[in-house]
Every structure is written in structure tokens, then in C-alpha cells.
Amino acid sequence: MLSVFVPSEFSLKKATATDLGALPEGAVWVDLVNPTVEEDRAVEKLAGIAVPTREDMQEIEISSRLYIENSARYMTATLMCQSDTDMPRTTAVTFILTGHRLVTVRYDLPKPFALVENKLARACSPGITGEQVLMELLDAVIDRCADILERCGADIDQVSHDIFEPESERHGHAKQYSQILIAIGRKGDLTSKVRESLVSIGRLVTFLSAVVEGVKWSKDMREQLKTMQRDVASLTDHASYLSNKITFVLDAMLGVVNLEQNNIIKLFSVMAVVLMPPTLIASIYGMNFKMMPELEWTHGYPFALVLMLIAAVVPYWIFKWKKWL
């Protein structure tokens, strides 16, 4: 799908191109979503650029993601998608600045794009340029990453509370621990993806700051780039902090599970020790020897029962006295 955004009075109008041979020259933003070969060619003809393929966008080398070709600046970043679901993923998005026009190429639907489209459709400067649209997109992407990290941090705090809650409030241990481990795994995966996205955005902003040195960008836009660099750096540090916290919470969870297992094993061991003397006594008097004096004793049966009871209570009392239970 190919969408063309043309500035009008205080707004940015979106038009889905129907005639690929007549794209508007005044377009400041051309958005390619899962583009076809015909759409690629139409945009290349309009902007005088080479639209990268999906395989090119997935390259991880810096030289393949950030470069200048025929005066056009190609910048590919990794953005978050479906972060509100149980299956978050990342996608590569390419931003191409050529002249004062921005071309974006993507194969997914990151939420910041929809937010920026709605924002610019409501109100924007009549003389808006592709550079300003790019700044809006990057700002929305960084804000989105911050929101995800904030939500992830709150969820990790809740998981930590569930692990260290008072023992009297715990119930359904096995099921609860399984859910906690799943939650920890999901938050760890989400945090690692956000950190990957922030690293790629940080590289893009640094590259953009370097290439605009010889370009007449406004002072406000340069200051905005510096602010973005600081925000990305702080968010990357926060993502690293959350990763360390998730590791700590996971270790704590595994430690709690081990303690629970040890308590269960200790209980079985105590029960085995407590029942061992009565079992021994019952085994002795269960032997079929002819000469056993107690067999002819009138009070032999109650005596054996009392003896087995005493033999069970004494070890239990010793364990309690030693504080082994």
C-alpha cells in the first residue's frame, strides 16, 4: 500500500495513490507499507531514489542501515510492534530523506506511525517538510518505547510482590509459580526487544546528527535531535536496569521454588523417620517364631500399640526441640 501526504492549510492530507504514474510533486511524506514492485518504481521515479528491499532492510551491519546515496540519507531502525499483546515483535523500518521529502518503507504497522498521521492530520505547519515529519516520527517512537518500559517496570514490580508476599497469603503454589515464571519470561523478552529498538534508534539519531552538520536545519530541530539523543541514552540505561531486575526476580523465583521443594522433601524425610520405629516394632511382633513370650501375654497387644505410639512421638518431639521443623 502506498500513501502520499501532501501539506494543505494547517494539516497534512493523506491520499492513497490510485494512479502510480501521477504521484503529487508536492508530497512531503510517502509511506510505503508492504509495497509492490509497481509502487516501488513509482516512488523511485518521483523521489529519484532506490527503495531498499525487505532483505536489505533486515541487514544488521551499520553500513547497510545508515548510509548516503545520491544525496539521499537512508536510515533503517528496528521498531516495536504488537507490544500490547503476549507476542510482541520487532520490525525494520527505513526512513529515506531526499531533498525535503521523506519516504518510509515498512512491512508492519508500528503504532507511532498511526499516532503521527492523526496528529499531523489535525494540525501542522503549512510549510511542513519531510525533515519535520521525520522528527515527529522519531519523537513518537521514543515516547512509545518509554511507555512500554514504564508499563514493563510496573508489571515487574507486581511480579516481585507476588514472589515476596507473606506466606500466609500464598495459595495454589504450583499454579501461581508457573504463572509468575511465564510473566517473567514475557517481560524479559519485551524488555530485550525494546532495548534492541532503542539501540537502533540511538544509532539513527547519532547518524542524523552527523549528516545535518552541513545542512541548513533550524536551531530548534538541532536542539530536538540533541534531546532525542539524551532521551534514547537514558531509556537504554533504564532498559538495562530492567533487564538486571528481571534477572534478579527470576533468580529469586527459582530460589523460592527450590525452598518449597526442600520443605516438601524435608516433610517426607521427617515422616519416614517418625514412622520407622513403629514399623520396626510392628515387624518384630509380626514374626512367626514359636517361642515369643509376649504372644502369650494378656496385655501384649495394647503394650505393643503404646510402644509404637511412644516410638513415633519421641522422634517428632526431638525434631521440634532441635527446631528442625
Side-chain angles (χ1 to χ4, degrees):
M1 183 179 69
L2 187 153
S3 300
V4 182
F5 296 83
V6 182
S8 62
E9 188 175 359
F10 303 111
S11 66
L12 197 66
K13 297 299 183 182
K14 175 181 177 180
T16 302
T18 55
D19 184 6
L20 297 179
L23 296 178
E25 289 290 338
V28 297
W29 179 18
V30 180
D31 187 27
L32 291 167
V33 183
N34 293 310
T36 63
V37 176
E38 291 76 14
E39 290 172 341
D40 280 348
R41 291 173 180 172
V43 173
E44 289 174 351
K45 181 179 179 181
L46 171 68
I49 59 172
V51 176
T53 64
R54 189 169 192 172
E55 290 72 21
D56 294 335
M57 294 168 58
Q58 292 174 343
E59 296 287 343
I60 62 174
E61 313 93 282
I62 297 298
S63 59
S64 299
R65 286 186 159 232
L66 306 169
Y67 59 94
I68 299 176
E69 184 178 282
N70 296 329
S71 300
R73 285 151 282 178
Y74 292 76
M75 297 161 286
T76 301
T78 302
L79 305 187
M80 290 293 303
C81 287
Q82 305 295 326
S83 59
D84 296 329
T85 67
D86 292 336
M87 296 295 292
R89 61 177 182 270
T90 57
T91 183
V93 178
T94 296
F95 305 88
I96 307 172
L97 270 179
T98 172
H100 296 292
R101 181 182 288 120
L102 172 67
V103 178
T104 54
V105 186
R106 54 195 174 104
Y107 290 86
D108 215 318
L109 302 173
K111 194 171 182 178
F113 278 77
L115 296 176
V116 172
E117 287 179 13
N118 295 332
K119 177 182 177 181
L120 296 180
R122 291 193 302 269
C124 72
S125 172
I128 191 170
T129 63
E131 290 90 343
Q132 293 171 321
V133 175
L134 174 62
M135 300 298 286
E136 291 286 349
L137 286 171
L138 292 178
D139 192 45
V141 168
I142 294 172
D143 288 344
R144 180 63 177 166
C145 288
D147 293 340
I148 296 173
L149 289 178
E150 288 175 4
R151 188 180 74 247
C152 191
D155 292 341
I156 294 170
D157 289 339
Q158 182 59 47
V159 170
S160 179
H161 171 74
D162 293 339
I163 294 174
F164 298 110
E165 66 182 353
E167 189 173 354
S168 59
E169 298 180 7
R170 297 181 185 174
H171 58 280
H173 288 181
K175 183 177 180 181
Q176 184 184 23
Y177 291 162
S178 176
Q179 293 174 345
I180 290 175
L181 286 173
I182 292 173
I184 293 173
R186 286 176 176 170
K187 297 309 170 185
D189 179 60
L190 179 60
T191 303
S192 65
K193 284 182 168 61
V194 174
R195 191 173 186 279
E196 177 189 1
S197 178
L198 286 170
V199 169
S200 69
I201 296 169
R203 291 170 178 169
L204 188 153
V205 174
T206 302
F207 172 80
L208 194 58
S209 300
V211 298
V212 299
E213 291 298 328
V215 182
K216 295 182 179 179
W217 279 30
S218 65
K219 183 178 179 181
D220 291 340
M221 293 179 67
R222 293 177 184 271
E223 289 298 325
Q224 189 177 1
L225 272 178
K226 293 180 181 178
T227 302
M228 286 181 182
Q229 284 181 300
R230 291 193 294 268
D231 289 344
V232 170
S234 64
L235 289 175
T236 303
D237 292 340
H238 188 66
S240 300
Y241 158 75
L242 287 180
S243 297
N244 293 333
K245 187 173 183 179
I246 289 172
T247 301
F248 163 74
V249 171
L250 178 59
D251 292 340
M253 182 71 253
L254 295 178
V256 170
V257 171
N258 287 334
L259 286 176
E260 291 287 343
Q261 291 176 342
N262 290 339
N263 288 335
I264 293 173
I265 294 173
K266 182 172 68 174
L267 177 62
F268 280 113
S269 300
V270 169
M271 292 300 296
V273 172
V274 168
L275 295 176
M276 189 181 301
T279 303
L280 176 62
I281 295 172
S283 299
I284 292 174
Y285 288 104
M287 293 186 294
N288 294 320
F289 291 111
K290 185 176 182 179
M291 297 301 297
M292 294 186 68
E294 291 85 354
L295 293 179
E296 303 295 333
W297 187 24
T298 304
H299 302 291
Y301 177 67
F303 173 77
L305 292 179
V306 171
L307 188 61
M308 285 189 285
L309 179 63
I310 294 174
V313 171
V314 170
Y316 178 78
W317 180 81
I318 293 175
F319 287 158
K320 293 288 288 185
W321 178 59
K322 292 287 187 178
K323 297 182 179 181
W324 292 346
L325 295 177

